[in-house]
Amino acid sequence: MRPATAPAALPHRHVLTVPAGPGAVRVARETAEQALAEWGIDARHPAVGPALLILGELVANTVRHAAGLSPQTTVFYAAGPDCLVLAVHDRHPHRPDLTGPYAAGPGGLATVLELTHALGGTAVVRGDADGPGKSVWITLPL
């Protein structure tokens, strides 16, 4: 599932930058819950619970694996009438392989991919144009 328009063109957008440390997951999830409510996306929508879990896993991965080289993480939230887009960015050079062994193991990235695909969504890693960082982008249908 790809949004009909680029995420930047979606009518609802929010960007959050937090320290990549304790509390980052909680702040990212609470911000998502607040944004979704403000955008009129019902908390009981079948994609919302999995989206919050996906977001939590991605932010936790940044805190766990990238904080040494990326003291901050940025979360991008966007939504339109037919899709929800989440992205988590850090400046660590490692770009996870979404089809490799980490994608097949228990927890973490495997959970993200399993939930994303179960909802008919897509996951992609995009490298920074200006350096070693990357973003993991998740698009889910609404």
Side-chain angles (χ1 to χ4, degrees), residues 52-123:
L52 293 173
L53 182 56
I54 289 166
L55 177 63
E57 288 289 341
L58 291 175
V59 174
N61 282 348
T62 295
V63 170
R64 189 176 306 118
H65 302 294
L69 293 177
S70 184
Q72 293 184 324
T73 187
T74 301
V75 183
F76 176 78
Y77 312 86
D82 63 348
C83 70
L84 172 64
V85 177
L86 302 168
V88 176
H89 175 266
D90 65 60
R91 297 294 285 178
H92 193 283
H94 175 73
R95 294 184 184 153
D97 178 1
L98 300 182
T99 61
Y102 294 109
L109 192 54
T111 298
V112 166
L113 294 172
E114 182 178 330
L115 289 168
T116 299
H117 295 143
L119 291 168
T122 60

Side-chain angles (χ1 to χ4, degrees), residues 1-6 10 82-83:
M1 160 77 192
R2 299 187 100 175
T5 57
L10 292 171
D82 63 348
C83 70

Side-chain angles (χ1 to χ4, degrees), residues 12-16 27-28 31-32 39 55 75-79 85-86:
H12 305 293
R13 293 177 304 283
H14 184 76
V15 178
L16 170 73
V27 171
T31 301
W39 299 339
L55 177 63
V75 183
F76 176 78
Y77 312 86
V85 177
L86 302 168

